Amino acid sequence: MKKYCDFLVIGSGIAGLSYAIKVAEYGKVIILSKALINETNTQYAQGGIAAVTEKYDSYDKHIEDTINAGAGLSDKQVVDIVVKEGRERIKELISWGAKFDKSSATNYDLAKEGGHSENRIFHHKDNTGFEVQRALVEEVKNHNNISVLENHYAIDLITQHHLGELVTSKSKNVECYGAYALNMNNNHIITIVAKTTFIATGGIGNIYQTSTNPTIATGDGIAMAFRAKARIENMEFVQFHPTSLYNPGERPSFLITEALRGDGAILKTKAGRKFMKKYDERGSLAPRDIVARAIDNEMKNSGDEFVYLDATKIPKERLEEHFPNIIKKCESIGIDISKEYIPVVPAAHYLCGGIKVNLKSETTIKYLYAAGESTSTGLHGANRLASNSLLEAIVFSNFAFQNSIKAIKNIEFRKGIPEWNDDGTSLSEEMILITQAMKELQQIMSNYVGIVRSNLRLKRALDRLQILFSETEDLFKKSVVTKDICELRNSINISYLIIKMAKLRKESIGLHFTIDYPSN
Ligand code: FAD
Ligand code: SIN
């Protein structure tokens, strides 16, 4: 079956929905979501969105904080533009109904997180993402021009390759004509022919054993774009959040927001000793890469499975007002955070790299735009500053909006797009192999491509990945398309890109730390 639209949006998080709401004024929109519309990284965001709005703050300070956190690898022009756009984009979210906490009738209660020199984070208690997602979903429902296809899994982008032309990584002028998607409600594959396609598929946390990301985060958009020969970059910069709740077996790991440290919570060893000042003068509020590595080091030296976060000095009323969900979650496992320390461990959290986009949110493939966590914009450099990711997503989805509405005026639907070809495939009897392979992959990535890396570990990871790769490609060719096999295939592609780019970077910088090239 074929469907046609002006704007195909793959993903229903902050990037996808904020883009869809705007382009819906200019044409027909289809949003694909591989689960329910709300199941996104966005809805799990806790801390908030960074933006300069107060007199005590300045663009220069936010720019400097972003570049410092990024270890100097950020693109300065991009940082400048994103920081200056923040205020307008926050206003827009508010106009769509998102509510942020206030400290008085006219002032917002702005929080602070690691690496920020000022309080500048707009938040809704400790579940900002949930509130933002709620507001965006409500707004999307008001648009007749938008069709939301839940439980529809984008399998691959459609390019000249599907029309029988040879497309290689050297090909110039690759064009995107839409995507093939699996309707998981009836297992049919549909062909969506679109004038423009927007990738907003989010992150990759699920390729690690421990992650704050929901299981949808398998890097599908990046893998699809990679197969379609788009430029992918900075994949070695995987951010581990220092403080996820230590609760073995829970997936995703529950995040203990950095805003708790912003309000005064302190990291301590299991024996109750403060340790962060040994690593950085900013202590528990140093940028994430430094804190995660420090915790990793303390745990390795002591053999402990976690460290503690001590929030007992924060007044109880403040805890109740700002962190109700963390209180509730910790209570559910028997911890009263006003009296007891919280056990925490680092967990895979965010990917700084991804599909390369320019300041128009254009990828290197024609008619293909992207924004959000699946992209590499140049903002984060070697390490993302806390709460800069939701900001980046809304700023770049706005750029994509501005440019794709101009572009569609001159684009015709591509004719002759074939339906998905599944000749020669049969139902896989070996589903258990897919589950096992995913577990193996998570083990490889966690053991060898985590917070601390080395040449030997990366080589081991690549050697083991090669085996998984050839087994999975073989299985993919023979079996009917399922979400599980596609996710496994994509996760292998993503892991390959991370390992390859990590091997190429012969230095320790930001989130990429290797014992073979320690920093000076
Ligand atoms: P997402 O919100 O992840 O949405 C991705 C969408 O793509 C989903 O709808 C998914 O179903 C869909 N999708 C994926 N693959 C396919 C496919 N093959 N076919 C169809 N659909 C597909 N950032 C901040 O700035 N501040 C914070 O406070 C903050 N806190 C965080 C807390 C947690 C626990 C986590 C996990 C992240 C946090 N982040 C935070 C990061 C931030 O939430 C994400 O980077 C951001 O929400 C990503 O938005 P997105 O729109 O790019 O993707
Ligand atoms: C947090 O609340 O600590 C997460 C913020 C982020 O990832 O930007």
Side-chain angles (χ1 to χ4, degrees), residues 424-428 473-480:
T425 59
S426 61
L427 195 69
S428 171
E473 285 304 301
D474 200 37
L475 209 56
F476 183 77
K477 277 181 207 123
K478 290 187 199 139
S479 58
V480 289

Side-chain angles (χ1 to χ4, degrees), residues 288-298 451-452 510-511 513:
R288 267 179 208 174
D289 56 331
I290 297 169
V291 183
R293 248 186 336 267
I295 295 176
D296 187 67
N297 196 41
E298 291 292 325
I451 295 173
V452 175
L511 296 163
F513 183 84

